Amino acid sequence: MKRLLWLGVGVAVGVVVVRKLAKTAEAMSPGGIADRLRETAVTAGDSLRNFMADVSEGMAEKEAELQDALAEGRPIGELLEDPYDDHDDSGMGGTIR
């Protein structure tokens, strides 16, 4: 009975190892590498598309703000400032009005 138990454990471990090796061999084959590269390219393309959509949306919002300010005769200097720039390193200072 003890030998039968160890035989079962050995068979189970053998099956797991063989499946793992087959999966690794497939991943290292030219087809597996091509699949990974294709997935990476698709992911990068999606990321780039999302980034460009965000940039376009931000540009459209900023353009609408500028158009509204110009139509109302308000100064646009604050709208042209970089919201992420905490200080002015140019030494020029001033505000566009």
Side-chain angles (χ1 to χ4, degrees):
M1 198 65 177
K2 198 174 190 181
R3 287 183 184 180
L4 192 58
L5 171 70
W6 286 112
L7 178 65
V9 169
V11 168
V13 168
V15 167
V16 169
V17 168
V18 167
R19 292 181 85 184
K20 208 50 151 161
L21 287 174
K23 196 175 196 180
T24 302
E26 171 62 28
M28 294 301 177
S29 71
I33 292 171
D35 287 343
R36 279 198 317 250
L37 287 174
R38 186 175 18 262
E39 289 173 17
T40 301
V42 167
T43 301
D46 290 343
S47 295
L48 182 60
R49 256 189 303 283
N50 289 337
F51 173 74
M52 293 305 295
D54 290 344
V55 168
S56 294
E57 182 180 325
M59 287 173 42
E61 288 174 7
K62 183 56 86 171
E63 184 177 356
E65 287 179 33
L66 288 168
Q67 292 292 342
D68 290 344
L70 287 172
E72 295 170 5
R74 291 185 286 134
I76 61 170
E78 291 180 9
L79 295 175
L80 297 177
E81 292 176 3
D82 185 359
Y84 302 106
D85 189 13
D86 292 338
H87 58 285
D88 186 14
D89 289 336
S90 67
M92 298 179 81
T95 302
I96 300 171
R97 298 272 178 203

